[in-house]
Amino acid sequence: MTHPLPHHPGKHALPALGDPADHARHVRTRHPDATLAGHDGVVLVYQDRALAHAVAAYGGHRRTGWVRGNLRLIERSGRRLAVCGGFGPGAPAAALILEQLVALGIRRVVTVGTAASLHTSLAPGNVVVCTRALRDDGLSQHYLPPGPYADPSPGLTRHLTSALHARDADPRRGAGWTTSAVYRETAAEVARYGALGILTADMEAAGVFAVAEHRGIDAAAVFAVADCLAERRPRRDHPRTEAALHTAVEAALAALSAAARERPHG
């Protein structure tokens, strides 16, 4: 007997009891000006150093207490953007934050993090734009109909790729494997998914794509490769990964503004 997730059939199409709009209304009882409408979008980050880089690189910013994370509002060349971190790794954490951000008015999101490669041809410091995410996360099953993959928004992904090329990042494009069980990745899975052409393993992309599709917003994802599962070695901090992560954050912010200029109303 099989037990597909979620256990209740057709759950993705059923109305939920909780509504992120309730969170937004509660926030506005304390912060009446709490809105992200008019912002080009938000970058989600999972490393404190990536958030610190964004804040340092773009100067003027405002810290808010509007969501369960460290949300910074940035003014950049006359554009308004947001960066959010400090909420922990994994699809459930990213989804909770994204739901709150969408309720406050966000219409575009780029998730930026590190990933492990499934191929020895990808080394620490390489940059990968995720073109689809294998749904091994659990959370996406509650937002989308059953299926193997969750997909990003083509337009925002195109802008993200262009922004990386403009920064000489030479990104690879391909599918990723999103898993919630980082300490249960197996050699059999790495071999199987690698043979299918899947490039990386991460913990958030499928969840972010699923929430974005469910809420009708645009989403994209980019990873800085940190280590390799196909040739397992002890992980260590690598300066090329750090540099790639910073470049990815900068490109994500630029992509959000480019997409907003192309389609101002989301």
Side-chain angles (χ1 to χ4, degrees):
M1 182 176 180
T2 60
H3 297 279
L5 292 176
H7 291 297
H8 192 91
K11 176 185 174 175
H12 67 278
L14 298 176
L17 293 175
D19 188 341
D22 294 337
H23 170 82
R25 282 189 287 269
H26 176 68
V27 168
R28 289 178 183 131
T29 64
R30 293 173 290 142
H31 306 281
D33 64 337
T35 182
L36 296 170
H39 284 68
D40 292 344
V42 64
V43 176
L44 299 183
V45 296
Y46 308 91
Q47 291 79 21
D48 290 343
R49 61 192 185 274
L51 180 61
H53 175 75
V55 169
Y58 297 108
H61 67 277
R62 173 186 174 195
R63 183 170 183 167
T64 79
W66 300 349
V67 300
R68 291 192 179 186
N70 188 346
L71 176 63
R72 305 294 184 99
L73 307 184
I74 294 173
E75 295 278 345
R76 176 174 179 259
S77 302
R79 311 296 304 190
R80 290 187 293 169
L81 293 147
V83 182
C84 192
F87 50 85
L96 184 148
I97 291 296
L98 183 54
E99 287 275 33
Q100 294 177 350
L101 292 167
V102 172
L104 289 166
I106 281 295
R107 305 302 301 162
R108 300 172 192 86
V109 58
V110 180
T111 176
V112 179
T114 57
S117 167
L118 305 190
H119 298 268
T120 57
S121 61
L122 284 168
N126 287 151
V127 175
V128 177
V129 173
C130 185
T131 57
R132 61 187 341 198
L134 186 66
R135 296 165 57 187
D136 209 12
D137 60 301
L139 180 132
S140 65
Q141 319 302 328
H142 296 266
Y143 282 84
L144 298 179
Y149 291 97
D151 296 312
S153 306
L156 185 54
T157 301
R158 171 173 50 83
H159 283 297
L160 179 59
T161 304
S162 296
L164 288 162
H165 279 301
R167 288 158 178 78
D168 298 322
D170 191 24
R172 289 274 295 273
R173 287 170 49 90
W177 165 36
T178 299
T179 174
S180 296
V182 67
Y183 289 118
R184 285 296 300 148
E185 296 162 335
T186 65
E189 290 169 301
V190 171
R192 178 186 176 191
Y193 301 147
L196 292 174
I198 294 173
L199 299 181
T200 56
D202 81 291
M203 296 180 68
E204 296 88 19
V208 170
F209 295 166
V211 173
E213 182 174 336
H214 182 76
R215 296 297 177 188
I217 70 164
D218 292 330
V222 58
F223 312 125
V225 173
D227 58 353
C228 182
L229 293 175
E231 187 179 50
R232 195 63 174 152
R233 295 176 181 174
R235 181 169 175 171
R236 63 185 180 87
D237 292 334
H238 202 293
R240 287 200 296 267
T241 299
E242 187 83 0
L245 192 61
H246 292 172
T247 299
V249 170
E250 295 170 14
L253 289 165
L256 290 168
S257 290
R261 286 191 293 267
E262 183 177 80
R263 287 199 302 147
H265 301 295

